């Protein structure tokens, strides 16, 4: 069973993820991505989907043409867990 991060651990983790911000209402982290066009955006989503399946940890997200908004939180924990931090790091690695 994965547990929620304490506020201290969350802030420490977020220091290494400067593009992500904490969304207190959901105890989630969010980041927006912009690409050249829809094909680039959807290609990114496909890569994230494969990561998510492998990790058994899935994003909440939306896409409008070249934009992708991602929200990460851990449903099983009722808030942010280490799994979200690891997923955010893996997603950041995809976009270099
Ligand atoms: C049964 C399955 O392992 C769980 O429901 C997984 C699937 N993907 C998940 N994704 C996210 N974001 N949070 C979860 O708690 C979660 N749980």
């Amino acid at each position: 069973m994965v547990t929620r991060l304490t506020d201290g651990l969350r802030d420490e983790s977020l220091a290494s993820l400067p593009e992500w911000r904490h969304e207190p209402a959901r105890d989630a982290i969010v980041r927006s991505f912009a690409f050249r066009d829809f094909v680039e955006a959807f290609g990114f989503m496909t890569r994230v989907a494969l990561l998510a399946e492998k990790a058994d940890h899935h994003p909440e997200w939306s896409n409008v043409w070249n934009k992708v908004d991602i929200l990460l939180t851990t449903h099983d924990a009722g808030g942010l867990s280490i799994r979200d931090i690891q997923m955010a790091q893996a997603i950041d690695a995809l976009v270099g």
Side-chain angles (χ1 to χ4, degrees), residues 1-93:
M1 174 63 185
V2 65
T3 54
R4 271 176 80 164
L5 292 177
T6 61
D7 291 358
L9 269 177
R10 177 197 69 221
D11 291 345
E12 208 174 290
S13 304
L14 279 176
S16 67
L17 294 168
E19 306 292 338
W20 295 79
R21 70 173 172 80
H22 185 230
E23 176 62 65
R26 290 287 315 278
D27 192 22
I29 52 174
V30 296
R31 179 175 174 184
S32 297
F33 297 83
F35 299 91
R36 260 196 315 244
D37 55 28
F38 176 72
V39 171
E40 295 283 327
F42 201 78
F44 166 73
M45 292 176 79
T46 304
R47 294 197 298 279
V48 172
L50 294 174
L51 280 180
E53 266 302 281
K54 201 168 170 190
D56 192 28
H57 195 67
H58 301 85
E60 297 181 31
W61 55 8
S62 66
N63 160 241
V64 179
W65 185 52
N66 69 328
K67 301 259 172 49
V68 180
D69 291 326
I70 296 185
L71 180 149
L72 298 174
T73 191
T74 302
H75 308 129
D76 295 345
L80 206 58
S81 78
I82 187 68
R83 286 194 193 176
D84 302 301
I85 303 303
Q86 290 165 342
M87 183 57 59
Q89 288 167 342
I91 291 171
D92 280 1

